[in-house]
């Protein structure tokens, strides 16, 4: 998924 | 993306669509708390502020638009639609939901991952979502009735966060450095709140009597 600390969830 | 998170998102989507379809079809919002719907609109508005600045995937952006659109549509129906607004239980839906927002905002200012405008609002939306169902549960207890669509709505809404907890456990074991205590604790508190509702809902269903939520 996306880089750390990045909100990739809804 | 993992199966738990997909199941969670689909369950969440189903919950808002069930509610929107109910209100749109029978042109009634009896038993639905406008306060909870307003809190959810605020939850999505403060959580998806980055919809224009950060792109994760088509799915992510599409779902954000659907959640924003559906939650604001439900609020619009309940406040402004000429027929639906008359079925809103104004004098029963009296939970001081603005008093829920202030502690969530203060907590977000104190406990967050990064002290930036977006991150504090994102954390605020997380805390607010955990308690957003309270006005709805209070309304159910007062009106003593729970029509099956509203019951399904709450069931799906509780189920989605339950799936998300499984998703966080899965990601914790499969992704190095995936640790988000704030999200996990807020999600757990939220699910426990629903678990409580389900316990009384199940009792009322088993004993075939009216739903009696604790005072």
């Amino acid at each position: 998924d996306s880089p750390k600390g990045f909100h990739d969830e809804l | 993306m993992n199966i738990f998170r997909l199941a969670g998102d689909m369950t969440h989507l189903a919950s808002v669509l069930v509610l929107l379809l109910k209100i749109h079809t029978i042109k009634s919002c009896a038993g639905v708390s406008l306060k909870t719907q307003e809190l959810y609109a605020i939850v999505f508005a403060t959580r998806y502020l980055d919809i224009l600045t950060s792109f994760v995937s088509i799915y992510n952006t599409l779902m954000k638009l659907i959640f924003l659109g559906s939650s604001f549509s439900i609020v619009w129906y309940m406040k402004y639609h000429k027929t639906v607004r008359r079925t809103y239980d104004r004098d029963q839906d009296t939970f001081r939901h603005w008093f829920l927002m202030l502690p969530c905002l203060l907590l977000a200012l104190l406990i967050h991952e990064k002290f930036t405008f977006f991150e504090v609002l994102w954390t605020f939306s997380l805390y607010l979502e955990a308690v957003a169902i309270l006005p709805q549960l209070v309304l159910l207890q007062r009106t003593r009735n729970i029509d099956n669509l509203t019951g399904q709505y709450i069931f799906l809404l509780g189920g989605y966060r339950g799936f998300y907890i499984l998703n966080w456990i899965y990601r914790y074991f499969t992704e190095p450095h995936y640790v988000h205590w704030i999200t996990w604790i807020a999600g757990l508190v939220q699910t426990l709140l629903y678990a409580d509702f389900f316990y009384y809902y199940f009792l009322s269903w088993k004993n075939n009597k009216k739903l009696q939520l604790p005072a």
Side-chain angles (χ1 to χ4, degrees), chain B residues 22 70 86 135:
Chain B
K22 163 188 169 172
S70 56
R86 280 205 299 269

Side-chain angles (χ1 to χ4, degrees), chain B residues 64-77:
Chain B
K64 285 176 176 176
L65 290 172
I66 293 172
F67 284 137
L68 283 167
S70 56
S71 60
F72 279 93
S73 307
I74 289 169
V75 170
W76 179 84
Y77 263 109

Side-chain angles (χ1 to χ4, degrees), chain B residues 81-98:
Chain B
H81 186 281
K82 60 190 180 316
T83 317
V84 175
R85 64 195 299 258
R86 280 205 299 269
T87 63
Y88 169 50
D89 221 346
R90 184 178 317 279
D91 49 11
Q92 293 266 32
D93 189 18
T94 58
F95 197 98
R96 289 176 182 41
H97 59 324
W98 305 116

Side-chain angles (χ1 to χ4, degrees), chain B:
Chain B
M1 174 60 81
N2 59 65
I3 185 64
F4 302 112
R5 192 160 117 210
L6 186 62
D9 289 342
M10 291 306 110
T11 308
H12 195 189
L13 180 65
S15 72
V16 289
L17 294 185
V18 155
L19 189 59
L20 193 53
L21 277 179
K22 163 188 169 172
I23 293 174
H24 176 74
T25 314
I26 63 173
K27 292 288 181 284
S28 161
C29 64
V32 178
S33 163
L34 173 61
K35 313 271 181 174
T36 284
Q37 297 312 314
E38 285 170 344
L39 290 178
Y40 264 107
I42 293 168
V43 165
F44 291 131
T46 50
R47 185 169 307 179
Y48 300 152
L49 288 173
D50 62 353
I51 190 169
L52 300 173
T53 55
S54 65
F55 178 77
V56 176
S57 67
I58 300 274
Y59 169 82
N60 188 272
T61 303
L62 184 65
M63 292 296 278
K64 285 176 176 176
L65 290 172
I66 293 172
F67 284 137
L68 283 167
S70 56
S71 60
F72 279 93
S73 307
I74 289 169
V75 170
W76 179 84
Y77 263 109
M78 294 183 70
K79 278 179 95 103
Y80 305 111
H81 186 281
K82 60 190 180 316
T83 317
V84 175
R85 64 195 299 258
R86 280 205 299 269
T87 63
Y88 169 50
D89 221 346
R90 184 178 317 279
D91 49 11
Q92 293 266 32
D93 189 18
T94 58
F95 197 98
R96 289 176 182 41
H97 59 324
W98 305 116
F99 285 15
L100 279 180
M101 290 175 59
L102 197 62
C104 291
L105 185 60
L106 295 179
L107 195 61
L109 287 166
L110 287 175
I111 306 174
H112 41 260
E113 286 188 6
K114 278 182 299 183
F115 193 70
T116 64
F117 177 74
F118 281 121
E119 188 64 25
V120 168
L121 280 185
W122 183 86
T123 311
F124 165 71
S125 86
L126 214 61
Y127 297 148
L128 190 61
E129 185 188 1
V131 294
I133 196 64
L134 279 173
Q136 179 63 62
L137 295 182
V138 167
L139 180 65
L140 281 183
Q141 183 201 354
R142 285 209 183 124
T143 53
R144 282 279 180 277
N145 80 335
I146 171 161
D147 69 74
N148 54 17
L149 273 171
T150 312
Q152 276 162 7
Y153 165 68
I154 298 178
F155 181 79
L156 292 166
L157 210 48
Y160 121 78
R161 218 58 181 158
F163 277 124
Y164 255 74
I165 290 175
L166 297 179
N167 151 65
W168 293 323
I169 294 169
Y170 176 84
R171 292 187 75 176
Y172 175 77
F173 287 111
T174 54
E175 290 173 36
H177 316 304
Y178 183 80
V179 178
H180 291 289
W181 285 109
I182 294 176
T183 312
W184 298 345
I185 292 171
L188 194 60
V189 165
Q190 178 174 340
T191 308
L192 290 177
L193 208 60
Y194 283 85
D196 177 47
F197 160 78
F198 290 139
Y199 171 68
Y200 290 103
Y201 187 56
F202 172 71
L203 282 186
S204 71
W205 171 77
K206 192 163 68 74
N207 311 333
N208 195 17
K209 62 182 200 319
K210 279 283 176 205
L211 178 79
Q212 305 286 334
L213 287 180

